């Protein structure tokens, strides 16, 4: 029996549903999902294993014009996803007209590797709009195969996965067959906490936050975690903590619940907030938080 394996990299504008799709393929919540743009900041692998295949998916940050160092690094992850892909998934959402970066768009159109253009969120559209959108994207990206999908409702997700397997080259697996991702446990803790911050704070706050897990002790019945929420300014620190600490407490309670589910164990989570001036624009700080590429 031949074994197939390869890299399937998901790219597209912010908020189109890239992370929702990867989680649907993997069947686990590897990437955090919110309705805010720029939820994903890293390239995150999700590995789907079968007896005769290994699909190494990459979720990537939404494509934007970078305005500061962090965003430069995020776009570096997108660039790297072009370089090692065996299949490229270009995800667009219903109603969308164009990619936010023309150079990336031209790269997709000139791609020598297979491109699957997934037109997502069709649960929000009607037949007429769907047909018009398929027409638009057929003209815009003639080298792509187009699939209307709903990553959220699972519509056409299996069919796309079957097509991916078809397209993969014969190859031995790249990772051990029981491996699910390339990221360590601490990464998922940081992301879970960041998701709660994206959900509960407005405007600039989520974008000024980074989370760093300083302690992770696994005991027989409980995991003890201490994480720091980093902000850029004193005023932001006050907002994160909130009146009498209630806002921060809510983040802690919700993150703990998710982490208990993720690790299948009782969690003790201690959170504190620290000001780290302009970490988003500081190369050394960014490296420390894993934004090196
Ligand atoms: N109606 C509908 N909503 C969807 C679908 N897929 C994703 N969403 C929603 O779209 C929003 C963004 O989803 P994400 O998966 O975080 O999008 P993303 O492309 O990873 O976003 P970034 O990481 O910010 O680039 C969330 O609110 C999802 O619930 C879909 O098929 N239908
Ligand atoms: Mg995402």
């Amino acid at each position: 029996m031949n074994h197939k394996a390869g890299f399937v990299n998901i790219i597209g504008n912010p908020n189109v549903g890239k992370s929702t799709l990867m989680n649907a393929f993997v069947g686990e919540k590897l990437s955090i999902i919110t309705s805010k743009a720029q939820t994903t900041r890293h390239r995150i692998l999700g590995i789907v294993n079968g007896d005769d295949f290994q699909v190494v998916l990459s979720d990537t940050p939404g494509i934007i014009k970078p305005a500061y160092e962090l965003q430069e690094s995020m776009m570096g992850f997108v660039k790297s996803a072009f370089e090692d892909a065996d299949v490229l998934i270009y995800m667009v959402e219903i109603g969308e007209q164009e990619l936010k970066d023309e150079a990336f768009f031209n790269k997709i159109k000139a791609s020598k590797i297979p491109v699957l253009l997934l037109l997502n969120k069709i649960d929000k559209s009607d037949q007429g709009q769907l047909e018009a959108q398929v027409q638009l994207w057929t003209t815009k990206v003639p080298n792509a195969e187009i699939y209307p999908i709903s990553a959220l409702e699972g519509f056409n997700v299996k069919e796309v996965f079957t097509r991916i397997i078809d397209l993969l080259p014969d190859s031995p697996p790249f990772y051990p067959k029981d491996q699910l991702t390339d990221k360590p446990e601490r990464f998922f803790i940081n992301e879970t906490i960041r998701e709660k911050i994206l959900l509960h704070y407005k405007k600039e706050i989520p974008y000024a936050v980074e989370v760093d897990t300083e302690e992770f002790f696994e005991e027989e019945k409980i995991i003890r975690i201490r994480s720091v929420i980093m902000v850029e300014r004193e005023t932001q620190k006050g907002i994160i903590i909130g009146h009498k600490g209630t806002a921060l407490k809510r983040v802690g309670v919700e993150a703990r619940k998710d982490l208990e589910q993720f690790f299948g164990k009782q969690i003790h989570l201690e959170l504190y907030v620290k000001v780290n001036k302009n970490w988003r624009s500081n190369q050394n700080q960014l490296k420390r938080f894993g934004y090196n590429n």
Side-chain angles (χ1 to χ4, degrees), residues 18-19 31-32 39-40 59-60:
K18 300 179 296 299
S19 299
S31 285
I32 59 168
T39 294
T40 304
D59 183 19
T60 64

Side-chain angles (χ1 to χ4, degrees), residues 21 38 52 77 184 210 222 225:
L21 177 72
Q38 296 177 57
D52 54 355
F77 290 130
E210 180 62 28
I222 194 168
I225 299 168

Side-chain angles (χ1 to χ4, degrees), residues 179-213:
Q179 192 170 334
L180 204 64
T181 183
D182 62 328
K183 293 279 187 266
E185 286 159 332
R186 280 172 201 239
F187 176 81
F188 295 102
I189 298 167
N190 299 343
E191 289 289 272
T192 302
I193 297 164
R194 205 165 58 77
E195 181 185 74
K196 304 309 168 201
I197 290 165
L198 277 151
L199 289 173
H200 295 309
Y201 298 87
K202 293 190 197 114
K203 294 183 187 154
E204 189 61 12
I205 297 283
Y207 301 97
V209 163
E210 180 62 28
V211 181
D212 187 25
T213 294

Side-chain angles (χ1 to χ4, degrees), residues 255-271:
R256 178 174 55 74
K257 281 188 189 146
D258 282 14
L259 290 171
E260 284 181 340
Q261 183 118 37
F262 189 79
F263 289 106
K265 229 174 179 178
Q266 198 186 335
I267 303 275
H268 179 270
L269 176 63
E270 187 187 326
L271 290 177

